[in-house]
Amino acid sequence: MNNLLETNKAIWDRLKTPPENVLKTIKGGRLAGMSDINPQWRYEAMTDVFGACGVGWKYFIDKMWTEPAIDGQVFVFAKVTVGYRIDGEWSEPIEGIGGSMLIKKEQAGLHCNDEGYKMAVTDALGTAMKMIGVAADIYAGKWDGTKYNDDTDAIP
């Protein structure tokens, strides 16, 4: 953790590139072809840079709520704040909002997702963490896990 703030982008640069083995290609839906990032890697990357969760970085679930969707479906959303510590001082809170489906319409009818709240929190954590650079190369469309993309202006 030496010289963590050596430059304005020091933290960003340490967190921006996930290893290939933590990515998988999304196969269906409107995000088909994009990369899904293993959330456990995000937590490991934060721990590598800042220290253990609760000591070097932390998060709080600020709010969880549901919203109705069409055809009896229900969204679940979470708002979290993430903080990290450098030289004994905590950062300002970094907010993230994420969501998932709690009740989803499938071919056989409506399906309840007992992991919906957890998935919303995981999504919110990823949203907050990307603000300090976690997996930034993926979000910027610069890297697909196997090669760098020359189109540095591409943002998914």
Side-chain angles (χ1 to χ4, degrees):
M1 214 157 80
N2 294 343
N3 298 323
L4 197 53
L5 293 177
E6 191 174 301
T7 68
N8 286 343
K9 282 186 51 192
I11 294 169
W12 186 278
D13 289 340
R14 286 190 60 189
L15 294 169
K16 70 180 181 178
T17 308
E20 179 181 344
N21 66 332
V22 303
L23 303 175
K24 71 177 179 181
T25 302
I26 299 170
K27 298 190 186 210
R30 61 181 178 76
L31 298 178
M34 299 183 90
S35 294
D36 189 20
I37 304 158
N38 183 321
Q40 199 64 34
W41 173 80
R42 288 184 179 111
Y43 312 143
E44 181 180 4
M46 293 288 287
T47 299
D48 283 345
V49 172
F50 302 110
C53 183
V55 177
W57 70 278
K58 61 185 175 180
Y59 72 95
F60 298 95
I61 300 170
D62 301 315
K63 181 179 178 184
M64 298 185 85
W65 70 99
T66 61
E67 296 284 342
I70 61 170
D71 297 330
Q73 299 182 100
V74 177
F75 292 108
V76 60
F77 295 99
K79 179 181 173 288
V80 302
T81 51
V82 172
Y84 58 88
R85 187 179 357 211
I86 297 177
D87 295 330
E89 292 194 35
W90 285 100
S91 69
E92 291 294 316
I94 303 161
E95 295 182 345
I97 295 176
S100 188
M101 294 301 295
L102 189 59
I103 302 174
K104 183 177 181 180
K105 187 174 182 180
E106 296 180 351
Q107 285 183 341
L110 294 177
H111 171 74
C112 296
N113 181 358
D114 65 343
E115 303 253 330
Y117 283 93
K118 178 185 72 113
M119 292 167 72
V121 169
T122 299
D123 188 42
L125 285 169
T127 300
M129 289 175 183
K130 72 182 177 182
M131 300 308 291
I132 60 168
V134 176
D137 282 352
I138 300 298
Y139 294 113
K142 294 180 180 179
W143 189 64
D144 70 3
T146 59
K147 65 181 183 321
Y148 275 91
N149 182 349
D150 290 334
D151 183 7
T152 55
D153 293 331
I155 297 177

